[in-house]
């Protein structure tokens, strides 16, 4: 489908990003993706992307979800934006999701936006479908002038956070996971726990505060009706550039310090930590295997192994694995064969997902799924939904989930402390801390 394209020079990038996000609040379908000018990001694309107002859409549970997505993506032949929930694992394997679900998000949702804004290299490119292209000039004037449709303001009160799993119970679950490892069932698995609250939040204010704290390269503000994803994700799940596939799993976390020498020591300790390196390398092996299913023979490569990247709140250990797509492989085939991402499951993947389901108390849903987009050419880019606040406005249910990889070298106390470190930004935002 053809789009009308208009380009404008960007004078003040941060100011325009703020104006675009404010202007987008009038729509019931919004995807905002922000790289936060993160200068260590490999395979960068846009500085930011905004897509609003659905022309067509796809919403489904996990049954035949990837087949439906493939049909929708191929027949639309246009930009589509949306999310994949973790529970699409039930479409690719004989698995179930029976844990408690307070958020009630659909398993998969994508939409074809009427209006798209692409920010890159000092230019904002507007791409509008023909039915609304007569609104382009006025829309941009409204954005620059800060005109927004009035909405009922929500006063964000500090929310008392509740634990789905209390501290000692979580550590007991880590011990159960360690037993599975000792018995040889698995080598590694990601074990998560949910924190939640009942109340109302202002989604845009909450996202803005979370993003200011973390400033990650894969930040997301997503709205579909009463469902919100407010994400400060540092992790890319998978990207397609022509026939090249790139995946960048994160495994390994360390604190930051305001003192340069101490901060450098934290990064060096993470780089040399045998447990963290072991976790990362196991997941690299897993994603290499996943990519090989759709790759040209011999094309799977590890471009970067266990590299430590600094973010505002934490250091992260990241590896980069690439491949070339084989003949006859569709874009959705690549996602189907690698989903859910290895960093959020474990090895062996299927057995790890079964054990995860038996030990966790909450349905993961959107958490540890992915938000992203397909281009008209069939390229795509998706993040990992971690470090995120999820909100069902109708149910007044607010949630964030954190976890970590459990290996033979894991200590239950340390694993719990790592969860608290990862939860720090979300908790601070919701509890009203500065």
């Amino acid at each position: 489908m053809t789009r009308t394209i208009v380009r404008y020079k960007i004078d003040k990038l941060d100011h325009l990003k703020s104006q675009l996000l404010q202007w987008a609040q009038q729509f019931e379908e919004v995807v905002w993706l922000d790289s936060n000018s993160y200068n260590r990001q490999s395979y960068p694309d846009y500085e930011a992307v905004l897509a609003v107002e659905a022309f067509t859409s796809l919403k489904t549970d996990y049954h035949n979800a990837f087949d439906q997505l493939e049909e929708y993506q191929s027949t639309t032949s246009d930009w589509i934006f949306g999310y994949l929930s973790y529970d699409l694992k039930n479409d690719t394997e004989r698995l179930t999701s029976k844990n408690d679900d307070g958020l009630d998000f659909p398993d998969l949702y994508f939409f074809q936006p009427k209006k798209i804004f692409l920010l890159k290299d000092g230019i904002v490119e507007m791409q509008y479908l023909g039915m609304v292209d007569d609104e382009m000039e006025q829309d941009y004037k409204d954005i620059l002038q800060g005109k927004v449709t009035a909405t009922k303001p929500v006063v964000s009160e500090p929310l008392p956070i509740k634990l789905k799993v209390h501290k000692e119970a979580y550590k007991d679950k880590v011990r159960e996971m360690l037993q599975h490892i000792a018995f040889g069932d698995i080598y590694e698995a990601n074990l998560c726990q949910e924190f939640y609250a009942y109340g109302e939040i202002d989604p845009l204010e909450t996202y803005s505060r979370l993003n200011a704290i973390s400033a990650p390269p894969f930040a997301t503000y997503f709205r579909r009706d009463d469902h919100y994803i407010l994400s400060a994700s540092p992790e890319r799940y998978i990207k397609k550039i022509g026939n090249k596939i790139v995946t960048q799993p994160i495994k390994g976390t360390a604190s930051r310090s305001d003192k340069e020498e101490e901060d450098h020591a934290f990064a060096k300790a993470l780089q040399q930590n045998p447990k963290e390196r072991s976790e990362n390398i196991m997941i690299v092996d897993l994603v290499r295997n996943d990519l090989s299913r759709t790759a040209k023979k011999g094309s799977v490569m590890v471009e970067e192994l266990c590299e430590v990247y600094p973010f505002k709140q934490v250091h992260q250990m990241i590896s980069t694995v690439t491949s070339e797509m084989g003949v006859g492989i569709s874009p959705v085939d690549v996602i189907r064969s690698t989903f859910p991402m290895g960093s959020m499951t474990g090895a062996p993947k299927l057995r790890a997902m079964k054990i995860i389901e038996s030990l966790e108390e909450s349905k993961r849903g959107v958490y540890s799924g992915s938000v992203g987009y397909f281009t008209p050419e069939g390229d795509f880019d998706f993040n990992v939904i971690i470090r995120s606040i999820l909100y069902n406005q109708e149910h007044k249910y607010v949630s964030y989930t954190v976890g970590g990889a459990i290996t033979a070298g894991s200590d239950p106390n340390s694993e719990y402390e790592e969860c608290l470190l990862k939860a720090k930004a979300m908790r601070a935002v919701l509890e009203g801390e500065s």
Side-chain angles (χ1 to χ4, degrees), residues 80-338:
I80 60 171
F81 291 74
Y83 70 79
L84 310 156
S85 80
Y86 173 80
D87 298 282
L88 294 180
K89 65 184 174 61
N90 305 335
D91 185 34
T92 59
E93 303 286 355
R94 296 181 65 181
L95 297 169
T96 58
S97 299
K98 296 181 179 179
N99 292 327
D100 184 57
D101 179 15
L103 285 161
D104 195 30
F105 278 65
D107 288 337
L108 179 148
Y109 177 76
F110 277 82
F111 74 99
Q112 177 188 13
K114 293 181 182 178
K115 303 177 180 183
I116 300 172
F117 298 78
L118 307 171
L119 283 66
K120 184 176 183 179
D121 299 332
I123 299 293
V124 55
E125 179 175 291
M126 301 171 66
Q127 294 197 13
Y128 278 34
L129 291 178
M131 70 202 66
V132 292
D133 62 4
D134 60 335
E135 301 172 17
M136 297 177 84
E137 184 176 353
Q138 187 59 51
D139 279 354
Y140 197 62
K141 286 181 180 178
D142 289 346
I143 290 163
L144 294 182
Q145 293 171 8
K147 290 184 178 180
V148 296
T149 302
T151 57
K152 183 180 178 181
V154 175
V155 178
S156 292
E157 300 286 346
L159 293 178
I161 305 300
K162 300 178 182 179
L163 287 69
K164 186 72 72 168
V165 180
H166 287 273
K167 180 177 180 179
E168 292 307 316
Y170 182 79
K171 290 195 285 188
D172 285 343
K173 291 176 183 292
V174 173
R175 294 184 185 100
E176 286 188 62
M177 192 73 84
L178 287 169
Q179 285 187 326
H180 283 289
I181 293 171
F183 293 155
D185 298 330
I186 52 173
Y187 304 107
E188 174 182 4
N190 190 277
L191 180 65
C192 297
Q193 58 177 316
E194 182 189 14
F195 297 79
Y196 70 101
Y198 287 98
E200 291 186 89
I201 62 173
D202 182 315
L204 180 56
E205 179 193 4
T206 302
Y207 165 78
S208 298
R209 291 186 63 201
L210 182 64
N211 189 52
I213 290 171
S214 302
F218 299 101
T220 300
Y221 176 96
F222 174 97
R223 178 189 180 189
R224 178 193 160 266
D225 298 331
D226 288 327
H227 292 116
Y228 292 85
I229 303 169
L230 315 171
S231 179
S233 175
E235 184 172 1
R236 170 179 276 139
Y237 157 42
I238 198 163
K239 180 178 179 68
K240 176 179 177 290
I241 317 157
N243 286 325
K244 185 169 186 174
I245 305 299
V246 180
T247 184
Q248 295 178 297
I250 289 179
K251 271 287 166 272
T253 305
S255 299
R256 297 295 310 268
S257 172
D258 294 333
K259 300 175 182 176
E260 185 177 347
E261 187 174 334
E262 186 177 47
D263 190 60
H264 180 72
F266 287 162
K268 186 176 180 180
L270 175 60
Q271 179 78 63
Q272 297 176 348
N273 186 305
K275 174 187 173 292
E276 303 282 19
R277 291 184 67 88
S278 174
E279 286 180 14
N280 196 293
I281 290 167
M282 283 187 210
I283 297 306
V284 166
D285 285 342
L286 187 155
V287 298
R288 287 174 63 220
N289 182 65
D290 282 351
L291 285 179
S292 69
R293 300 178 189 177
T294 56
K296 188 184 299 182
K297 188 174 181 180
S299 70
V300 179
M301 304 286 291
V302 179
E303 290 191 354
E304 188 177 51
L305 185 64
C306 298
E307 185 69 26
V308 173
Y309 283 72
F311 297 93
K312 282 186 75 172
Q313 282 211 310
V314 293
H315 293 287
Q316 301 276 198
M317 187 179 286
I318 303 176
S319 293
T320 300
V321 187
T322 64
S323 68
E324 294 291 327
M325 286 173 60
V327 177
I329 300 297
S330 75
V332 174
D333 283 338
V334 176
I335 294 174
R336 188 199 322 252
S337 64
T338 56

Side-chain angles (χ1 to χ4, degrees), residues 357-409:
E357 181 69 21
S358 71
L359 290 178
E360 292 181 356
E361 299 289 335
S362 302
K363 178 182 176 181
R364 288 195 183 180
V366 170
Y367 172 76
S368 73
S370 183
V371 170
Y373 60 85
F374 291 86
T375 71
E377 298 76 30
D379 286 346
F380 54 69
D381 202 0
F382 285 88
N383 75 357
V384 180
I385 303 174
I386 53 175
R387 320 291 160 82
S388 303
I389 295 169
L390 307 176
Y391 180 40
N392 185 317
Q393 191 172 44
E394 181 183 3
H395 296 173
K396 298 182 180 179
Y397 189 86
V398 185
S399 167
Y400 62 88
T401 299
V402 292
I406 311 302
T407 66

